[in-house]
């Protein structure tokens, strides 16, 4: 059984994961509106990944006999001035998510909830990847320095991204 404090913290994280999903869907739509099909694809996959993160937490809370209570999802920005601005906002957001995950780890440690500590290891690793991915794309966009040809090339590259079900959900959906 999860402690009340741990359950509350996981519920807040579930909401944060859905907010992330909503943010990335908004970026995907903004990119599509501006003709960046590849960037739109990249963020559409990010949207799916964030929903999967929420599902992993939901499954975990249920597996521990806890209760999931879905709260309202706050609004998100709807427009960014450039692809670079979008990926810089992504990196900033992922840094915040990393601190949320680390805070969950601290609560699990305080509560002596070793099962939750173990479950969170995957998310700690995932955040390294999330920040690295955003940083790599920022670096590419900085190199092309807003040139139309450069943006075209980066957009083409991001069109190739495909969705993979995160390993904690493998075999549980799709
Ligand atoms: Mg996430």
């Amino acid at each position: 059984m999860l402690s009340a404090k741990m359950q509350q913290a996981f519920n807040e994280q579930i909401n944060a994961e859905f907010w992330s999903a909503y943010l990335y869907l908004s970026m995907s739509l903004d990119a599509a509106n501006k003709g960046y099909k590849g960037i739109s694809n990249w963020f559409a996959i990010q949207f799916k990944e964030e929903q999967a993160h929420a599902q992993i937490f939901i499954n975990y809370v249920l597996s521990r006999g806890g209760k999931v209570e879905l709260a309202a999802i706050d609004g998100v920005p709807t427009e960014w001035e450039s692809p670079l601005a979008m990926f810089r906002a992504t990196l900033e957001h992922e840094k915040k998510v990393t601190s949320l995950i680390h805070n969950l780890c601290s609560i699990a440690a305080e509560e002596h909830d070793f099962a939750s500590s173990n479950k969170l290891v995957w998310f700690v690793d995932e955040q390294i990847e999330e920040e690295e991915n955003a940083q790599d794309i920022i670096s590419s966009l900085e190199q092309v320095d807003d040139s139309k040809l450069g943006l075209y090339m980066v957009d083409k590259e991001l069109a190739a991204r495909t969705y993979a079900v995160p390993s904690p959900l493998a075999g549980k959906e799709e």
Side-chain angles (χ1 to χ4, degrees):
M1 195 67 187
L2 288 171
S3 71
K5 188 174 181 186
M6 198 75 247
Q7 176 171 295
Q8 172 70 19
F10 278 129
N11 270 287
E12 284 169 15
Q13 189 62 34
I14 289 163
N15 187 266
E17 298 293 346
F18 279 123
W19 192 84
S20 297
Y22 212 38
L23 174 69
Y24 294 139
L25 178 59
S26 188
M27 288 178 172
S28 177
L29 295 170
D30 188 36
N33 281 333
K34 290 166 181 166
Y36 298 115
K37 278 193 169 179
I39 293 170
S40 179
N41 170 65
W42 195 90
F43 281 109
I45 290 167
Q46 219 40 26
F47 168 57
K48 289 181 91 172
E49 272 197 0
E50 299 304 338
Q51 292 174 85
H53 293 167
Q55 189 65 57
I56 295 165
F57 282 117
I58 289 169
N59 291 351
Y60 177 67
V61 171
L62 295 179
S63 75
R64 294 290 306 279
K67 189 174 182 195
V68 174
E69 287 177 308
L70 299 179
I73 302 166
D74 288 342
V76 290
T78 54
E79 242 185 296
W80 287 264
E81 67 178 15
S82 65
L84 183 54
M86 216 177 250
F87 283 98
R88 281 184 175 150
T90 297
L91 179 59
E92 284 318 300
H93 177 62
E94 288 302 333
K95 285 180 177 172
K96 270 186 214 139
V97 175
T98 299
S99 70
L100 292 177
I101 296 290
H102 290 179
N103 187 48
L104 279 171
C105 293
S106 300
I107 296 170
E110 277 167 26
E111 302 285 299
H112 300 286
D113 184 342
F114 304 111
S116 292
S117 294
N118 273 356
K119 194 70 193 176
L120 287 162
V121 169
W122 185 86
F123 285 94
V124 172
D125 291 342
E126 173 70 9
Q127 283 312 116
I128 297 171
E129 215 176 284
E130 295 279 27
E131 289 187 25
E132 188 183 11
N133 290 343
Q135 183 57 63
D136 285 350
I137 299 167
I138 289 168
S139 300
S140 297
L141 289 169
E142 284 173 345
Q143 280 161 20
V144 304
D145 200 20
D146 272 348
S147 81
K148 283 202 189 297
L149 179 60
L151 280 174
Y152 175 81
M153 302 282 283
V154 172
D155 191 60
K156 280 277 172 227
E157 191 188 328
L158 298 184
R161 185 182 186 194
T162 55
Y163 178 68
V165 178
S167 59
L169 281 187
K172 293 187 178 170
E173 64 164 25
E174 295 187 322

